[in-house]
Amino acid sequence: MNGAGRLAVRTRDLVPGTPQLSVDLAAVARNTRTLAERTAGELMAVVKADGFGHGGVDVARTALAHGATRLGVTSLSEAWTLRDAGLVAPLLSWLNPVDADFPAAAVRDVDVAVPSLAHLAAVAEGAGRNRVHLHVDAGMARDGAEPEEWATLCRAARRAEVRGQVEVVGVMGHLGCAEEPADDCNALGRTRFAWAVEVARGAGLRPRDRHLAATAATLTDPRAHHTMSRVGAGLVGIDPSRTTDLEPAMTLTAPLTQVRRVRAGTPVGYGHAHRTTHATHLGLLPLGYADGLPRAASDRAEVLVRGTRRPVVGRISMDQVVVDLGPAGAEAGESVTVFGPGADGEPTVAEWAAWADTIEHEIVTGIGARVPRRTLAAPYLRRLA
Ligand SMILES: *Cc1c(COP(=O)(O)O)cnc(C)c1O
């Protein structure tokens, strides 16, 4: 357990002159409060994929101290990480194979989602009495039970409950188009979810946790809120609905490891994909696609050097990338901002995502393990997890 009132963060002391990923938990704290204010229901902090790359335990603690009441992850191995860190908050894991260690989930007080009859059988036959959330596919043909099997699943779950094998505490669904609030697919998803809850009740179940909304629907559609929202992206400043100002929490910097003067017409990098159009200075950054800079952003991306945007030129390599520093140049050793919240003119994660034809989620979850990390604690915690 962690000391009362203190936020335990992994702050690896950084070797000067290396790349650095800073995570600002104060931004996570403010985003959590913004999201909590948007719903009358409970807020589940979804901290899968290491808290969307921001540090799952840190994001979990921060969110719990600022309005979230529960935690959510996909796999049970992610759940163990949170429990091992001393987090005792209610915790749900929703994406597991049928042979997952469900008895351990019961012992460690981790709720599990049940998306099929096969999962129900595995959970019910296990040694523990698991708390389960029946998971309906609300219309994206991805995870969750199909409508055709839902009534059967509910009846089987009720039988297992009567036998004392499981406790059905929730019904969950997920919307496939929530980032486009006007899309008909949302109405279909809401209707199917409401129907799924009615069917569960008709089977004799009393699911007190009914949850459908993730970040986008939490911010745009109260009809999807029910008793709880599961928010992940929003905690770390990503709003897929683009309706709300949330704060990005990551800043990626790197030093220039080398600067050279070149003539006009100098070919740069693999395949000579770029040629300088003018005499200029080229700077080298020790970050590449192995560190999460998407190769698709080659020759499109920008970075901030001495307060000015400068273009990335040539192909992004595995470990390095070249920046056109312009005639004025810069010194080897100077720090360059690859992305950040944008307040000082640096590119944002959203811009990097656009340059790579992807979404912000893929950028923040893709930062490689070899980039040293620094976590800035939230200044104020209302309550410990
Ligand atoms: C990832 C995930 C969430 C969180 O979605 P965000 O859009 O990141 O808030 C919620 N529910 C499920 C089932 C998920 O997989």
Side-chain angles (χ1 to χ4, degrees), residues 14 18-22 251-255 287 371-374:
L14 294 158
T18 62
Q20 175 176 311
L21 184 74
S22 301
T251 300
L252 179 62
T253 60
L287 285 173
V371 178
R373 287 163 176 263
R374 188 166 67 122

Side-chain angles (χ1 to χ4, degrees), residues 96-173:
N96 290 291
V98 285
D99 61 352
D101 194 352
F102 295 119
V107 170
R108 302 200 75 178
D109 214 16
V110 176
D111 295 12
V112 293
V114 164
S116 74
L117 282 165
H119 285 82
L120 180 68
V123 170
E125 284 157 18
R129 182 164 180 263
N130 288 91
R131 271 195 312 267
V132 306
H133 299 236
L134 299 182
H135 188 175
V136 66
D137 172 25
M140 59 190 299
R142 199 185 64 168
D143 45 349
E146 289 175 50
E148 293 73 21
E149 64 176 341
W150 182 251
T152 311
L153 179 63
C154 289
R155 285 194 297 270
R158 177 61 187 153
R159 284 196 298 276
E161 190 169 65
V162 169
R163 286 196 293 265
Q165 295 170 313
V166 300
E167 186 190 352
V168 179
V169 296
V171 170
M172 68 181 285

Side-chain angles (χ1 to χ4, degrees), residues 22-37:
S22 301
V23 174
D24 179 8
L25 294 178
V28 173
R30 289 188 288 267
N31 292 333
T32 309
R33 289 199 293 261
T34 299
L35 289 154
E37 281 164 12

Side-chain angles (χ1 to χ4, degrees), residues 51-383:
F52 290 55
H54 291 65
V57 171
D58 295 330
V59 172
R61 282 213 178 89
T62 305
L64 289 168
H66 292 272
T69 51
R70 311 213 194 179
L71 300 173
V73 290
T74 48
S75 65
L76 282 174
S77 66
E78 294 174 304
W80 308 153
T81 302
L82 299 174
R83 287 288 185 250
D84 289 347
L87 289 163
V88 298
L91 169 55
L92 169 66
S93 162
W94 61 74
L95 191 66
N96 290 291
V98 285
D99 61 352
D101 194 352
F102 295 119
V107 170
R108 302 200 75 178
D109 214 16
V110 176
D111 295 12
V112 293
V114 164
S116 74
L117 282 165
H119 285 82
L120 180 68
V123 170
E125 284 157 18
R129 182 164 180 263
N130 288 91
R131 271 195 312 267
V132 306
H133 299 236
L134 299 182
H135 188 175
V136 66
D137 172 25
M140 59 190 299
R142 199 185 64 168
D143 45 349
E146 289 175 50
E148 293 73 21
E149 64 176 341
W150 182 251
T152 311
L153 179 63
C154 289
R155 285 194 297 270
R158 177 61 187 153
R159 284 196 298 276
E161 190 169 65
V162 169
R163 286 196 293 265
Q165 295 170 313
V166 300
E167 186 190 352
V168 179
V169 296
V171 170
M172 68 181 285
H174 191 59
L175 295 169
C177 318
E179 73 280 9
E180 300 291 346
D183 197 304
D184 289 346
C185 140
N186 294 301
L188 177 82
R190 287 194 310 268
T191 305
R192 191 180 280 185
F193 185 72
W195 165 84
V197 171
E198 283 317 306
V199 170
R201 286 189 176 129
L205 299 168
R206 294 292 173 266
R208 56 182 182 269
D209 301 329
R210 300 179 297 277
H211 41 113
L212 176 64
T215 296
T218 302
L219 293 173
T220 61
D221 190 359
R223 292 168 297 181
H225 289 184
H226 298 276
T227 68
M228 178 160 71
S229 289
R230 304 181 307 266
V231 298
L235 300 175
V236 299
I238 298 171
D239 170 16
S241 73
R242 308 209 170 279
T243 59
T244 309
D245 270 334
L246 299 173
E247 297 180 47
M250 269 188 179
T251 300
L252 179 62
T253 60
L256 289 166
T257 56
Q258 211 181 334
V259 175
R260 73 178 77 225
R261 288 185 65 139
V262 297
R263 286 195 291 265
T266 302
V268 182
Y270 282 126
H272 292 181
H274 177 84
R275 263 173 212 278
T276 56
T277 55
H278 49 280
T280 189
H281 294 80
L282 298 179
L284 185 65
L285 294 179
L287 285 173
Y289 57 77
D291 306 296
L293 298 193
R295 189 169 175 279
S298 296
D299 246 339
R300 294 184 184 179
E302 297 171 349
V303 295
L304 194 75
V305 185
R306 292 187 177 179
T308 304
R309 294 280 189 110
R310 303 301 317 172
V312 163
V313 290
R315 289 199 190 132
I316 293 173
S317 304
M318 185 183 292
D319 319 297
Q320 43 192 313
V321 65
V322 177
V323 177
D324 187 336
L325 300 170
E331 301 291 325
E334 280 186 48
S335 178
V336 168
T337 305
V338 176
F339 60 70
D344 297 319
E346 74 276 17
T348 59
V349 167
E351 287 183 270
W352 272 90
W355 290 324
D357 294 325
T358 184
I359 56 174
E360 291 146 275
H361 311 54
E362 192 174 345
I363 304 293
V364 296
T365 56
I367 303 301
R370 74 178 165 186
V371 178
R373 287 163 176 263
R374 188 166 67 122
T375 305
L376 310 169
Y380 171 59
L381 291 184
R382 275 212 301 269
R383 168 171 90 65

